[in-house]
Amino acid sequence: MAAGLPMVVTDAGGTAEAAIDGETALVVPARDSAAIAQAIVTLANDPALRQSFGAAATARARDTFSLEACTNAYAQLYEGLVSAEQQQ
């Protein structure tokens, strides 16, 4: 995603949660070689779609998975836990 490339990912594991189907990637069923092949062909035949997915993937990587974004998310989590504990 950080490289700005469109992706074809399967719905196994956490990749489908990291990518957004139809925005940063085409998500296909795991172990479905026909769906994987069709997704690759779709991207190969559509330069605008590749560009759009790539740009969205870069933005998602920066906004969601960068060191700054992750540390901010952890800080918010811990602050919320402390606040909840203090309210009890």
Side-chain angles (χ1 to χ4, degrees):
M1 291 173 70
L5 298 173
M7 298 174 291
V8 174
V9 302
T10 66
D11 58 4
T15 46
E17 288 80 21
I20 300 173
D21 188 31
E23 185 177 324
T24 65
L26 294 176
V27 179
V28 297
R31 297 189 173 119
D32 185 342
S33 58
I36 293 169
Q38 182 56 53
I40 292 170
V41 168
T42 296
L43 286 175
N45 289 330
D46 193 337
L49 185 62
R50 291 193 311 268
Q51 173 64 32
S52 172
F53 279 15
T58 297
R60 180 156 171 78
R62 179 192 61 240
D63 297 343
T64 306
F65 302 113
S66 68
L67 180 60
E68 182 180 3
C70 289
T71 55
N72 287 339
Y74 277 119
Q76 289 177 356
L77 171 67
Y78 295 144
E79 289 169 3
L81 292 172
V82 169
S83 177
E85 182 65 27
Q86 290 173 347
Q87 291 177 5
Q88 290 183 1

